[in-house]
Amino acid sequence: MENTNLNQSNLLTKVHQLVIDIISNELIFDLIIYELNDLYHPFMYYYEGDNGLVYSMPIEAFFRSTQYIVGDQYPKDVIWDYDKTQRLIKTLSYYKKDIKRERSVFSYQESKNKRALEKYVRHLIHHYTRLLFVRIDLKYAKETSHLVSIEDFDYHMSKFRDLIGNKETCFKDWQGYAWALEHGGIEGGLHCHLLLIYDGNKRQNGWYIAKEVGEKWKQVTQGFGTYYNYHNKKTKQGYERNGKLGIGMIHQDNEQEVNNALRTSSYLTQPSKYDQKLKVWLPNMNTFAHGRYRTSDRRGL
């Protein structure tokens, strides 16, 4: 982890969104100039195109376009004036189809994931009379998020998935799981949406389990991590008022509970959330997975 006060995660999000706004004609010209002079130098400090990392198409377009315009100038010497900015806007427009294609591929994959996850969850609900659905977001504390790289995030998730697979302590008795990695907005940063599904005859306290899971995440990240427990009273009451409570105990014979649980699960796979996709990732890095339904492993089968 590099000791810098710049936040790589937020910076990449800003650059990604800047490109989207430019090609969509969402920003006035003076604001584009301001954003370029604010972001370009720190962006070049972080960009590691020769280090095996893969970037979103808007970020790749930004790098290629700015390099085409500024050439061999040192980033700290570059000032984005009227002429350079005009040329950049024109150059970025050539990448519009590539960005649209990436968005379409993302939407297709998310739709595919969504169908697979729903099928998986339905199998589990069909087999168990009641299941405990536990939802938690694994994140990083704002004050230390600038110290966390995508390599760190990948390492932390790898260690955390090992804990889930071991099925010990707070992970004992789970019967299903799903997780999705995202890169939120300016305040969101790198995070993981996690769903754990437990045998309702063996585990009943969703809040306590979510708290234990969150504390495990903090241990894995050596204190850099934080979490959001969806099972707190205020959040659950909000879902209940809207008739959308899909966490906690879900009974097989309660149609509304089942539909709400399926809706809760589907949040992990949203085709419309292109702005939440990772902006940088390692080659072959998985961003979504769920367990496998094997009937031979189920009790009584």
Side-chain angles (χ1 to χ4, degrees):
M1 298 183 182
E2 188 158 11
N3 188 11
T4 172
N5 290 324
L6 298 172
N7 190 316
Q8 181 191 40
S9 173
N10 289 355
L11 177 64
L12 293 179
T13 296
K14 287 183 177 181
V15 171
H16 178 98
Q17 192 59 49
L18 174 62
V19 172
I20 297 296
D21 290 342
I22 288 175
I23 65 175
S24 303
N25 297 313
E26 297 285 339
L27 298 178
I28 62 174
F29 192 80
D30 287 347
L31 183 55
I32 294 174
I33 292 179
Y34 173 83
E35 292 287 346
L36 288 171
N37 283 307
D38 186 50
L39 298 175
Y40 177 69
H41 182 201
F43 170 79
M44 291 302 296
Y45 174 84
Y46 273 124
Y47 185 86
E48 299 181 273
D50 59 349
N51 200 30
L53 297 179
V54 185
Y55 292 85
S56 70
M57 195 60 232
I59 291 175
E60 273 297 310
F62 183 81
F63 174 74
R64 297 175 193 174
S65 298
T66 54
Q67 290 304 102
Y68 173 74
I69 292 167
V70 305
D72 295 330
Q73 275 187 280
Y74 286 109
K76 63 182 181 64
D77 296 329
V78 174
I79 297 176
W80 290 93
D81 55 18
Y82 181 90
D83 179 62
K84 283 193 182 74
T85 303
Q86 281 278 37
R87 291 169 60 199
L88 177 64
I89 293 172
K90 182 178 180 180
T91 305
L92 284 174
S93 68
Y94 298 137
Y95 292 94
K96 193 169 185 177
K97 288 184 178 179
D98 294 324
I99 294 172
K100 184 178 180 180
R101 186 180 303 113
E102 181 181 73
R103 185 189 292 268
S104 296
V105 170
F106 172 82
S107 180
Y108 171 79
Q109 185 61 54
E110 284 291 282
S111 296
K112 187 177 177 181
N113 292 342
K114 188 183 182 78
R115 291 191 296 271
L117 181 58
E118 179 176 344
K119 182 179 180 181
Y120 172 63
V121 173
R122 283 188 182 278
H123 275 310
L124 291 170
I125 292 174
H126 178 73
H127 185 77
Y128 291 92
T129 56
R130 59 176 184 167
L131 289 165
L132 182 67
F133 278 62
V134 178
R135 273 279 281 116
I136 182 171
D137 284 352
L138 309 175
K139 308 185 290 183
Y140 291 98
K142 290 181 181 179
E143 58 270 21
T144 55
S145 61
H146 62 279
L147 301 174
V148 181
S149 68
I150 190 64
E151 292 93 341
D152 296 321
F153 186 39
D154 184 56
Y155 175 75
H156 293 155
M157 283 306 306
S158 177
K159 299 292 286 185
F160 194 77
R161 288 194 298 268
D162 287 343
L163 292 179
I164 295 176
N166 290 337
K167 299 191 75 168
E168 297 175 353
T169 62
C170 56
F171 301 111
K172 185 179 180 181
D173 297 319
W174 66 254
Q175 298 301 323
Y177 71 87
W179 53 264
L181 307 186
E182 291 186 352
H183 191 160
I186 303 305
E187 296 299 324
L190 296 167
H191 60 275
C192 171
H193 295 301
L194 177 64
L195 171 67
L196 294 168
I197 304 172
Y198 292 83
D199 184 340
N201 292 316
K202 296 181 178 179
R203 305 296 291 268
Q204 288 84 40
N205 193 329
W207 179 87
Y208 183 74
I209 292 174
K211 182 179 184 299
E212 281 193 299
V213 171
E215 293 303 316
K216 290 291 185 185
W217 172 249
K218 291 172 73 171
Q219 291 175 20
V220 166
T221 60
Q222 297 181 314
F224 287 97
T226 185
Y227 62 92
Y228 182 78
N229 185 343
Y230 281 83
H231 297 258
N232 69 75
K233 186 176 180 180
K234 184 177 180 180
T235 299
K236 289 188 69 176
Q237 285 178 341
Y239 286 130
E240 281 183 310
R241 281 195 299 270
N242 295 318
K244 294 181 178 180
L245 182 62
I247 57 175
M249 197 65 72
I250 304 299
H251 296 83
Q252 183 189 79
D253 59 357
N254 188 312
E255 185 177 358
Q256 182 176 4
E257 288 183 359
V258 169
N259 289 335
N260 287 343
L262 291 170
R263 185 183 298 110
T264 294
S265 304
S266 72
Y267 184 78
L268 276 65
T269 55
Q270 291 293 325
S272 61
K273 292 170 67 177
Y274 176 71
D275 61 328
Q276 297 281 312
K277 78 183 293 292
L278 293 185
K279 312 303 186 294
V280 58
W281 58 94
L282 280 68
N284 302 316
M285 182 177 176
N286 289 330
T287 60
F288 168 79
H290 61 73
R292 289 185 293 172
Y293 182 81
R294 297 189 294 265
T295 55
S296 62
D297 292 344
R298 303 288 163 189
R299 67 172 188 272
L301 295 177

